[in-house]
Amino acid sequence: MSDTPVKQQSTAAFHGQAVASFVVAMVATGVGILKLEADTWVRAFLGIAVLYLVTSAFTLAKVVRDRQEAGQIVSRVDQARLEKLLADHDPYEKL
């Protein structure tokens, strides 16, 4: 039999820390942009740049995760084929 890998899941504390960190970073950046002594259009440009950076980071993380999961699925299929070949093989069978 094969050992199926256990799906790793993050704890509630890790998830909460990640969400809190994201919120703190976004609030701090927003306050920094609002308190910046610059024209309104400069602050607006920086705000849009931050939003673009955040959406790009989420997209990149999703693409990396999807690619990793696809590699794991292919690996599992190859492992199952190998196990079937080995199970069906009889070394004492006459050809």
Side-chain angles (χ1 to χ4, degrees), residues 8-66:
Q8 296 178 348
Q9 291 185 350
S10 58
T11 63
F14 180 74
H15 180 74
Q17 187 242 343
V19 170
S21 175
F22 176 75
V23 169
V24 167
M26 287 299 291
V27 168
T29 303
V31 169
I33 290 173
L34 289 175
K35 297 285 185 176
L36 186 66
E37 293 183 15
D39 291 338
T40 304
W41 71 270
V42 172
R43 290 193 306 245
F45 176 79
L46 291 175
I48 290 174
V50 167
L51 292 176
Y52 180 63
L53 179 63
V54 168
T55 57
S56 297
F58 279 125
T59 302
L60 177 63
K62 183 186 178 312
V63 167
V64 169
R65 184 201 64 204
D66 291 348

Side-chain angles (χ1 to χ4, degrees), residues 73-87:
I73 290 171
V74 169
S75 176
R76 287 183 194 162
V77 169
D78 289 342
Q79 182 66 29
R81 286 181 183 159
L82 177 63
E83 286 178 5
K84 182 174 180 345
L85 262 172
L86 291 174

